[in-house]
Amino acid sequence: QVQLVESGGGLVQTGGSLRLSCAASVYIFKRSDMAWYRQAPGKQRGLVGYISSTGSTKYVDSVKGRFTISRDYVNNTVYLQMNSLKPEDTAVYYCNGVPPIGEWGQGTQVTVSS
């Protein structure tokens, strides 16, 4: 069973930080690279970055140097540390496997005010 529960979003000013969490079911967490995706208003959902089962990470250019993905194997949780946030980071953030598996979670809203 695929279960994904994202949390940690909120409203933050430009330059601020947030840490998102994703509690994943064992089924997806242990068998997959894990990724964060985001969907801004009026846009398609897209990849933000991912972390492999060995801990290597990769990010899209727009968040490199600002965002960091980590994973906790004890708690089956994936984190997204977001620093130096910009208004263009405003979106609903989701986690899932790479490629995505099963149904998406509800996501968590991140709003960055200018």
Side-chain angles (χ1 to χ4, degrees), residues 36-77:
W36 284 94
Y37 303 81
R38 65 185 179 186
Q39 185 169 19
K43 296 187 178 180
Q44 289 189 332
R45 183 156 40 203
L47 180 70
V48 174
Y50 68 87
I51 183 167
S52 74
S53 57
T54 59
S56 61
T57 56
K58 192 164 186 178
Y59 305 92
V60 297
D61 287 346
S62 60
V63 307
K64 279 182 184 176
R66 300 189 298 122
F67 290 12
T68 303
I69 298 174
S70 59
R71 63 194 297 173
D72 177 352
Y73 282 93
V74 174
N75 297 304
N76 297 335
T77 301

Side-chain angles (χ1 to χ4, degrees), residues 74-102:
V74 174
N75 297 304
N76 297 335
T77 301
V78 183
Y79 300 99
L80 178 63
Q81 177 67 45
M82 305 187 295
N83 299 326
S84 302
L85 282 161
K86 304 176 181 180
E88 50 264 44
D89 295 318
T90 295
V92 179
Y93 284 72
Y94 303 86
C95 67
N96 208 314
V98 183
I101 301 170

Side-chain angles (χ1 to χ4, degrees), residues 8-20 65-67 80-86 89 110-112:
L11 173 64
V12 65
Q13 291 185 333
T14 296
S17 297
L18 283 173
R19 188 193 195 204
L20 307 184
R66 300 189 298 122
F67 290 12
L80 178 63
Q81 177 67 45
M82 305 187 295
N83 299 326
S84 302
L85 282 161
K86 304 176 181 180
D89 295 318
V110 172
T111 303
V112 185

